[in-house]
Every structure is written in C-alpha cells, then in structure tokens.
Amino acid sequence: EVQLVESGGGLVKPGGSLRLSCAASGFTFSNYGMSWVRQAPGKGLEWVSSISSSSTFIYYADSLKGRFTISRDNAKNSLYLQMNSLRVEDTAVYYCARSPSSSGDGFDYWGQGTLVTVSS
Amino acid sequence: SYELTQPLSVSVALGQTARITCGANNIGSKNVHWYQQKPGQAPVLVIYRDSNRPSGIPERFSGSNSGNTATLTISRAQAGDEAGYYCQLWDSNTALFGGGTKLTVL
C-alpha cells in the first residue's frame, strides 16, 4: 500500500524557517517524481514544487521567489521542503504527492498533509 | 499566465448527471487531471490525462477535453460525491490548478 506521511509542520514566526519531511513507503520511491502542494485555510490547491526521480529536474512556483528548496533522499525514501523567510501568506496545509514523472502527469497519491502556521 | 477557470459551485439532483467544467485557452491541447477533495481529507485523483480513471474510481466518473473546455462528468450522482473538485494541468513545467468547484448533491 502506498503511504506518504508528512511531518515538520507547526507554528513559526514571520521570517522564520521550517523543514518539512515526507516519508514514503509501499512503492519504489526512486522511480517516481514527487511534489509539494499546499492549501491555505478555506482556499484551493496551489502547487509549490516538484522534483524528478533522480533530482535531475526541479521546478518551483514563481510566487515562491527562491524562498523554498525541494530535495529528496532516495536511500531514505524521503522528500523534503526547506522553507525560509516564511510569510503569513505561507500558512497552509502542505501535502506531498507522487507522480509518475516530475511534470506532465497527475498526482496519483497524496499524504494527509502537515499544517504550517506563520504568525507572530 | 495560463489560468484555469472553474465554476464556484454546481448542484445536481441525486441520481442525475453532474458536469464540472474547466476552461482555458486551447486546453484541449493539454493533459488535464481531476481531483476530488472531501472536507478534512487529502485530494484524490479521479481522472488523469483527460479521460482515464485510476484503479478504484467508479465508472460513473468520466472526463473529456476539447477546444477551450475540459469536463468532468459524474453520472448517477450519489451523496458521497459531494465534495470539491479541482482540475489540473502542466504548462511550461508549472503545475496549475483550477480554483475548484463545490459539488452539492440535492
């Protein structure tokens, strides 16, 4: 059974940093692209970033302006999102999601999400 | 920039057919994916590449895509289909989501 479990969310002050993790199991992690998608409270889905199976290709939403960094460790079956210079508007549930490639395909499995709250 | 337009809400009578649209310029040239999201839950992929159903998704869910409109069709709507629905595609290595449609089953 495919499982994606996010962790690392919490309350952080504006300007602070946070590192999210996503532990994958039930599939060959190194064969799949992975992504982060977020959802602000009461709002729609917003794509954040994607990374290819071997980290060769990495894409970010333009709105992030270099504040976030996606990475993965295939030996640990884990995906990460380093978030710096956090803003109030970054408050959201952050989901990790799997896709057959880093771009072009749909996201076929999602984790349950981890809540990030940016507030003073 | 490329934008996907969905109606905010769609209502359907129990057992009838619901159609949720996703509009964008020449969307028919792209692969569109659809997600269902129930309150407090993660999204679930219900249609991929315009018209394909993942394993476990009922045949009542179907999709089409042509011209400037992609459509998710839910036949014989059930109370359990009441949820938010999002279209999504890739444009220049950027994943784009529609604003979402709240489906109400009456």
Side-chain angles (χ1 to χ4, degrees), chain A residues 21 30 37 49 59 71 77 95 103 108 116 118:
Chain A
S21 299
S30 58
V37 177
S49 179
Y59 309 110
S71 62
N77 292 338
Y95 296 101
S103 72
D108 60 357
V116 172
V118 185

PDB file of all heavy atoms in Angstrom, chain A residues 21 30 37 49 59 71 77 95 103 108 116 118:
ATOM      1  N   SER A  21       9.149  17.215   6.011  1.00  0.00           N
ATOM      2  CA  SER A  21       9.582  15.911   5.506  1.00  0.00           C
ATOM      3  C   SER A  21       8.379  15.094   5.072  1.00  0.00           C
ATOM      4  O   SER A  21       7.266  15.294   5.560  1.00  0.00           O
ATOM      5  CB  SER A  21      10.339  15.146   6.599  1.00  0.00           C
ATOM      6  OG  SER A  21      11.485  15.834   7.012  1.00  0.00           O
ATOM      7  N   SER A  30      12.400   5.698  -5.640  1.00  0.00           N
ATOM      8  CA  SER A  30      13.369   6.258  -6.585  1.00  0.00           C
ATOM      9  C   SER A  30      12.883   6.215  -8.037  1.00  0.00           C
ATOM     10  O   SER A  30      13.568   6.718  -8.934  1.00  0.00           O
ATOM     11  CB  SER A  30      14.694   5.497  -6.479  1.00  0.00           C
ATOM     12  OG  SER A  30      14.488   4.119  -6.742  1.00  0.00           O
ATOM     13  N   VAL A  37       2.327  20.310  -2.638  1.00  0.00           N
ATOM     14  CA  VAL A  37       1.159  21.117  -2.985  1.00  0.00           C
ATOM     15  C   VAL A  37       0.597  21.659  -1.671  1.00  0.00           C
ATOM     16  O   VAL A  37       0.523  20.925  -0.688  1.00  0.00           O
ATOM     17  CB  VAL A  37       0.090  20.279  -3.721  1.00  0.00           C
ATOM     18  CG1 VAL A  37      -1.152  21.118  -4.002  1.00  0.00           C
ATOM     19  CG2 VAL A  37       0.659  19.697  -5.014  1.00  0.00           C
ATOM     20  N   SER A  49       6.164  22.876  -5.623  1.00  0.00           N
ATOM     21  CA  SER A  49       7.429  22.460  -6.224  1.00  0.00           C
ATOM     22  C   SER A  49       7.367  20.990  -6.593  1.00  0.00           C
ATOM     23  O   SER A  49       6.602  20.223  -6.008  1.00  0.00           O
ATOM     24  CB  SER A  49       8.570  22.701  -5.219  1.00  0.00           C
ATOM     25  OG  SER A  49       9.813  22.300  -5.753  1.00  0.00           O
ATOM     26  N   TYR A  59      11.449  21.986 -10.157  1.00  0.00           N
ATOM     27  CA  TYR A  59      10.627  23.113 -10.583  1.00  0.00           C
ATOM     28  C   TYR A  59       9.962  23.746  -9.360  1.00  0.00           C
ATOM     29  O   TYR A  59       9.606  23.062  -8.407  1.00  0.00           O
ATOM     30  CB  TYR A  59       9.550  22.645 -11.564  1.00  0.00           C
ATOM     31  CG  TYR A  59      10.084  21.816 -12.721  1.00  0.00           C
ATOM     32  CD1 TYR A  59       9.818  20.452 -12.810  1.00  0.00           C
ATOM     33  CD2 TYR A  59      10.861  22.407 -13.713  1.00  0.00           C
ATOM     34  CE1 TYR A  59      10.300  19.696 -13.868  1.00  0.00           C
ATOM     35  CE2 TYR A  59      11.349  21.653 -14.771  1.00  0.00           C
ATOM     36  CZ  TYR A  59      11.071  20.291 -14.840  1.00  0.00           C
ATOM     37  OH  TYR A  59      11.559  19.553 -15.888  1.00  0.00           O
ATOM     38  N   SER A  71      14.032  18.849  -1.987  1.00  0.00           N
ATOM     39  CA  SER A  71      15.093  17.862  -2.135  1.00  0.00           C
ATOM     40  C   SER A  71      14.541  16.491  -1.776  1.00  0.00           C
ATOM     41  O   SER A  71      13.430  16.373  -1.264  1.00  0.00           O
ATOM     42  CB  SER A  71      16.296  18.214  -1.247  1.00  0.00           C
ATOM     43  OG  SER A  71      15.915  18.196   0.121  1.00  0.00           O
ATOM     44  N   ASN A  77      14.028   7.073   1.299  1.00  0.00           N
ATOM     45  CA  ASN A  77      12.632   7.153   0.849  1.00  0.00           C
ATOM     46  C   ASN A  77      11.942   8.403   1.379  1.00  0.00           C
ATOM     47  O   ASN A  77      10.800   8.346   1.860  1.00  0.00           O
ATOM     48  CB  ASN A  77      11.844   5.911   1.264  1.00  0.00           C
ATOM     49  CG  ASN A  77      12.298   4.662   0.526  1.00  0.00           C
ATOM     50  OD1 ASN A  77      12.894   4.734  -0.553  1.00  0.00           O
ATOM     51  ND2 ASN A  77      12.026   3.505   1.110  1.00  0.00           N
ATOM     52  N   TYR A  95       0.895  19.335   1.427  1.00  0.00           N
ATOM     53  CA  TYR A  95       0.781  17.927   1.049  1.00  0.00           C
ATOM     54  C   TYR A  95       1.982  17.515   0.206  1.00  0.00           C
ATOM     55  O   TYR A  95       2.419  18.272  -0.672  1.00  0.00           O
ATOM     56  CB  TYR A  95      -0.463  17.704   0.183  1.00  0.00           C
ATOM     57  CG  TYR A  95      -1.791  17.963   0.846  1.00  0.00           C
ATOM     58  CD1 TYR A  95      -2.477  19.147   0.614  1.00  0.00           C
ATOM     59  CD2 TYR A  95      -2.371  17.013   1.666  1.00  0.00           C
ATOM     60  CE1 TYR A  95      -3.721  19.374   1.183  1.00  0.00           C
ATOM     61  CE2 TYR A  95      -3.620  17.227   2.248  1.00  0.00           C
ATOM     62  CZ  TYR A  95      -4.280  18.414   2.004  1.00  0.00           C
ATOM     63  OH  TYR A  95      -5.517  18.635   2.582  1.00  0.00           O
ATOM     64  N   SER A 103       6.956  16.175 -14.207  1.00  0.00           N
ATOM     65  CA  SER A 103       5.977  17.103 -14.772  1.00  0.00           C
ATOM     66  C   SER A 103       5.194  16.409 -15.866  1.00  0.00           C
ATOM     67  O   SER A 103       5.701  15.496 -16.509  1.00  0.00           O
ATOM     68  CB  SER A 103       6.647  18.360 -15.330  1.00  0.00           C
ATOM     69  OG  SER A 103       7.350  18.067 -16.515  1.00  0.00           O
ATOM     70  N   ASP A 108      -0.900  11.009  -8.258  1.00  0.00           N
ATOM     71  CA  ASP A 108      -1.764   9.852  -8.047  1.00  0.00           C
ATOM     72  C   ASP A 108      -1.907   9.419  -6.593  1.00  0.00           C
ATOM     73  O   ASP A 108      -2.843   8.695  -6.263  1.00  0.00           O
ATOM     74  CB  ASP A 108      -1.336   8.680  -8.934  1.00  0.00           C
ATOM     75  CG  ASP A 108       0.081   8.218  -8.688  1.00  0.00           C
ATOM     76  OD1 ASP A 108       0.783   8.834  -7.861  1.00  0.00           O
ATOM     77  OD2 ASP A 108       0.485   7.229  -9.329  1.00  0.00           O
ATOM     78  N   VAL A 116       1.240  24.202   8.417  1.00  0.00           N
ATOM     79  CA  VAL A 116       2.224  25.234   8.713  1.00  0.00           C
ATOM     80  C   VAL A 116       1.474  26.527   9.001  1.00  0.00           C
ATOM     81  O   VAL A 116       0.690  26.986   8.174  1.00  0.00           O
ATOM     82  CB  VAL A 116       3.190  25.426   7.527  1.00  0.00           C
ATOM     83  CG1 VAL A 116       4.094  26.632   7.765  1.00  0.00           C
ATOM     84  CG2 VAL A 116       4.008  24.164   7.297  1.00  0.00           C
ATOM     85  N   VAL A 118       2.107  30.456  10.036  1.00  0.00           N
ATOM     86  CA  VAL A 118       3.073  31.547  10.166  1.00  0.00           C
ATOM     87  C   VAL A 118       2.356  32.727  10.810  1.00  0.00           C
ATOM     88  O   VAL A 118       1.463  33.324  10.210  1.00  0.00           O
ATOM     89  CB  VAL A 118       3.667  31.948   8.808  1.00  0.00           C
ATOM     90  CG1 VAL A 118       4.748  33.009   9.007  1.00  0.00           C
ATOM     91  CG2 VAL A 118       4.225  30.735   8.079  1.00  0.00           C
TER      92      VAL A 118
END
